[in-house]
Amino acid sequence: MTCKGEEMKNLVIILAILGTQLVFAGNTTKPKMLIVGDSWSMFMCLYNSFHQVLRNEGFAKKTRVQKKVRYKYPIKVEGCHRTTAPGLTTEDFLEDKWKNRVMGRASDPAVKIIFLSIGGNDVTARWHKDMSVAQEDQIFQDTLERLEKIIEYIREVNTEAKIIVSNYDYPNFEIKTGAFNLLKLFRKMGSPEPYRMNSTLVRFASHLGQIREYDKVEFIHHFGLMHYHFGNRSAGLGKKETAEPIDISPPHDPDAYGGELEIESASRSMSRVPLLYQDNYHLSATGYFHLVKHTFQHYLKDWVAEAIAQ
């Protein structure tokens, strides 16, 4: 009997989930998913976004130890505090410190998936709203070329791992109680209007998406994801009124974006410390959960199932 297309994918996922207990019980080395990148990767680690989505997608085994709920995972999420940090750029990952950290962990044959979020700081550190399209394209191209070098040195030590390069969602610089460094950066960019900022970020994602030309490398962005899940009350945008996650940066059309370019991500979707601090660029725990789930929806669910089944 044969299965094709989606039927085969679903069969692999179901068998992998049903076989999860065998991975826990046996002596097989647990596969690993390496997390690399800037503050977006770091926050996903801090918020345990990957583990939450693994549970949500049925990949975790629930147990009780002295009346406390515990979960066992068939794939190990690692790197995080060693291979992510706020403010990192593609240039940083070409320096020995970060390059050696990434290569050291990527060389482990148990690493089957690499999640990489990088490039945003490259753009925001150099971009200004008054730049021409040609000037913007030069920034985008320089970033892409450095990203290519990162992919190439990873491939020197691991030829089999699947790599997903994850991009971003719309910021909200209308929030004036944000981080001082982010607000200062916003002024340095010329205090762009939402449409100018958002459309530039979407163009950047489209350019960076050329990284898919490398074998076993995929690219995904999340522009419009927070609009779908949170709406934006102050802009009159309700929840689930824009493109659905399945239609945002899908494998067959990675450039496709959702939401409204004229509107920021809702303040409720951004990271915050009550009464003290509201982030302009980084998402809340719920926001990052949706981002990781979006990546699972298009890529990681299949990849994790395949890694477990090996």
Side-chain angles (χ1 to χ4, degrees):
M1 184 177 71
T2 61
C3 296
K4 296 182 180 180
E6 287 300 315
E7 292 181 357
M8 179 59 78
K9 281 187 177 181
N10 292 335
L11 178 61
V12 171
I13 292 169
I14 291 170
L15 291 175
I17 292 174
L18 291 176
T20 291
Q21 292 183 349
L22 295 177
V23 176
F24 295 134
N27 294 321
T28 305
T29 300
K30 186 183 295 187
K32 298 178 180 180
M33 176 163 49
L34 178 63
I35 313 302
V36 179
D38 54 24
S39 54
W40 280 55
S41 286
M42 182 193 74
F43 275 113
M44 290 177 225
C45 290
L46 291 176
Y47 290 138
N48 289 315
S49 305
F50 295 97
H51 292 98
Q52 289 179 17
V53 175
L54 283 167
R55 295 198 297 269
N56 182 262
E57 296 293 336
F59 285 110
K61 179 183 177 183
K62 185 177 180 179
T63 62
R64 288 187 178 276
V65 179
Q66 296 180 347
K67 297 183 179 182
K68 292 184 179 181
V69 175
R70 295 286 188 270
Y71 291 92
K72 291 184 178 180
Y73 302 91
I75 189 167
K76 183 178 180 181
V77 178
E78 74 158 33
C80 289
H81 70 285
R82 290 288 296 173
T83 50
T84 73
L88 292 180
T89 66
T90 54
E91 290 178 289
D92 292 315
F93 278 101
L94 295 179
E95 295 178 358
D96 287 345
K97 174 183 176 180
W98 292 101
K99 180 179 179 180
N100 291 341
R101 286 186 180 189
V102 172
M103 291 183 74
R105 279 167 169 72
S107 64
D108 184 346
V111 172
K112 305 300 182 182
I113 300 169
I114 299 174
F115 180 98
L116 174 59
S117 175
I118 197 69
N121 294 313
D122 295 69
V123 174
T124 56
R126 294 167 174 80
W127 181 75
H128 190 277
K129 70 174 185 178
D130 294 333
M131 281 185 170
S132 66
V133 171
Q135 289 174 313
E136 291 178 349
D137 286 346
Q138 188 61 59
I139 295 175
F140 301 164
Q141 182 61 25
D142 291 343
T143 306
L144 174 62
E145 290 176 3
R146 290 191 294 269
L147 176 59
E148 289 173 343
K149 293 177 181 178
I150 295 170
I151 298 298
E152 287 165 3
Y153 74 60
I154 290 174
R155 282 291 177 243
E156 289 178 13
V157 297
N158 191 324
T159 59
E160 298 302 318
K162 293 186 176 181
I163 302 172
I164 181 71
V165 178
S166 175
N167 208 245
Y168 308 93
D169 201 348
Y170 306 128
N172 187 332
F173 284 104
E174 294 296 307
I175 300 169
K176 302 307 179 186
T177 56
F180 172 77
N181 62 318
L182 291 176
L183 293 175
K184 182 179 179 180
L185 177 64
F186 178 64
R187 291 190 292 270
K188 183 180 177 182
M189 292 187 290
S191 301
E193 294 295 318
Y195 180 84
R196 180 73 175 101
M197 183 80 186
N198 293 345
S199 60
T200 299
L201 292 174
V202 167
R203 279 209 325 113
F204 169 58
S206 179
H207 198 100
L208 211 63
Q210 295 176 67
I211 201 67
R212 297 170 76 241
E213 294 177 4
Y214 281 79
D215 185 41
K216 299 177 185 174
V217 177
E218 297 291 351
F219 177 88
I220 188 171
H221 70 71
H222 313 279
F223 292 111
L225 193 64
M226 297 305 110
H227 283 177
Y228 176 81
H229 287 293
F230 292 89
N232 188 319
R233 291 177 184 174
S234 63
L237 182 65
K239 296 180 182 179
K240 300 184 179 182
E241 292 182 354
T242 55
E244 297 183 7
I246 193 69
D247 296 319
I248 297 174
S249 196
H252 66 275
D253 187 11
D255 290 348
Y257 64 89
E260 302 291 341
L261 292 177
E262 299 85 358
I263 299 175
E264 307 88 356
S265 288
S267 60
R268 293 181 299 119
S269 69
M270 313 303 283
S271 179
R272 62 191 292 264
V273 177
L275 304 178
L276 292 177
Y277 165 75
Q278 177 80 58
D279 206 303
N280 303 97
Y281 200 73
H282 302 100
L283 305 178
S284 64
T286 303
Y288 280 120
F289 169 82
H290 287 308
L291 186 150
V292 174
K293 187 173 182 179
H294 181 229
T295 312
F296 263 74
Q297 183 179 32
H298 286 317
Y299 296 102
L300 294 183
K301 187 171 184 177
D302 291 341
W303 293 6
V304 169
E306 291 170 8
I308 294 169
Q310 291 178 2

